[in-house]
Amino acid sequence: MKTLKCFVVLFSFAGLFLTGCSDQLQSPVSSTDQVSLEKEAIHYFTLTDVPIPPPFPYALDPGIKQYLPNGYVHYKKVGVWEYMEARDLDGNIDPLVTGLNENYLSTMMEGNTGNGPANGKTVSYRAPGQEGLGIWETQWEGYRSYQGKQIFNLPIGTAEYHFWYLPLKMVGQGKGGQVDKMQMVLEGTITVFSDDAHFPEPIFWMGSGSGFYK
């Protein structure tokens, strides 16, 4: 996934010289205005994410799973824990995005290929003492496509896995704390893995992407 290019905007200020009997100084920026300016700034980041073990069966919410007569597999709001790590363009971890997330997945997978549309919702989790950061609620969607079978060295073991690419787009809204009323936009790709025993259902995945919030 290509990293978004960062456009640096340079602001220049020219002083105003008055010729007359009085000089007027520029009014300082109030604390309220400063917060507003910070929220209007664009913050670019790159993102990686992985599920929190055990990824199968799902540890957060089993949701609804249906194995249909035509061979399709239907998921509705199946909940998993994920760890997302965001870094700014200097490589520093961004604490406003990085952390544990709840991801609720819905999809309809073809039984013979595992291809199909997928969508979901994520909600960031804050540990006690981190409530001041606020949370992100996002919506995402994409379509996963089967790529074949290949040997991968994954945290769940080195083996030959079926895998899919799932390009996705995500939009989010900040709620509370430092991210209140901020907006997030992200594009990325999830690589989804399965084995013969669970095909075409996911048993592990790794994601990467880039985006911004403001």
Side-chain angles (χ1 to χ4, degrees):
M1 181 64 196
K2 295 181 179 178
T3 304
L4 289 179
K5 295 180 180 178
C6 176
F7 294 91
V8 179
V9 181
L10 300 178
F11 293 94
S12 61
F13 295 89
L16 178 62
F17 296 95
L18 299 178
T19 58
C21 60
S22 64
D23 293 325
Q24 183 175 352
L25 297 177
Q26 184 178 354
S27 298
V29 178
S30 69
S31 58
T32 302
D33 291 337
Q34 183 64 40
V35 170
S36 178
L37 288 172
E38 290 176 355
K39 289 193 173 184
E40 289 176 1
I42 299 178
H43 304 267
Y44 293 94
F45 63 89
T46 59
L47 184 76
T48 57
D49 88 293
V50 292
I52 301 298
F56 193 97
Y58 298 97
L60 175 61
D61 189 333
I64 297 174
K65 287 191 197 179
Q66 296 175 313
Y67 301 90
L68 305 179
N70 61 0
Y72 279 62
V73 180
H74 178 221
Y75 281 16
K76 183 176 181 181
K77 296 182 179 179
V78 175
V80 296
W81 288 110
E82 291 184 330
Y83 176 75
M84 294 186 178
E85 182 175 284
R87 292 182 178 269
D88 64 25
L89 298 184
D90 293 322
N92 303 309
I93 289 181
D94 187 335
L96 295 186
V97 181
T98 297
L100 197 62
N101 281 262
E102 303 173 22
N103 188 4
Y104 296 91
L105 164 69
S106 297
T107 184
M108 181 72 76
M109 296 171 278
E110 296 178 3
N112 59 339
T113 65
N115 293 345
N119 64 83
K121 173 183 178 180
T122 71
V123 181
S124 55
Y125 170 83
R126 298 300 185 189
Q130 295 183 331
E131 295 86 354
L133 297 176
I135 65 170
W136 291 100
E137 291 187 0
T138 75
Q139 302 286 339
W140 62 267
E141 62 180 3
Y143 188 96
R144 77 178 209 165
S145 301
Y146 186 60
Q147 303 299 310
K149 201 173 182 183
Q150 184 175 318
I151 294 177
F152 289 93
N153 181 16
L154 301 179
I156 59 174
T158 300
E160 191 174 34
Y161 295 97
H162 302 274
F163 71 105
W164 294 257
Y165 288 148
L166 172 57
L168 58 83
K169 294 184 178 181
M170 176 185 290
V171 294
Q173 180 73 40
K175 295 190 175 182
Q178 296 183 40
V179 301
D180 193 42
K181 298 181 181 179
M182 288 187 176
Q183 295 180 332
M184 177 191 295
V185 177
L186 180 141
E187 292 187 1
T189 299
I190 304 292
T191 303
V192 183
F193 303 94
S194 188
D195 56 17
D196 290 341
H198 299 101
F199 184 92
E201 301 180 67
I203 62 171
F204 194 77
W205 57 91
M206 296 186 299
S208 62
S210 57
F212 65 89
Y213 62 89
K214 62 179 183 177

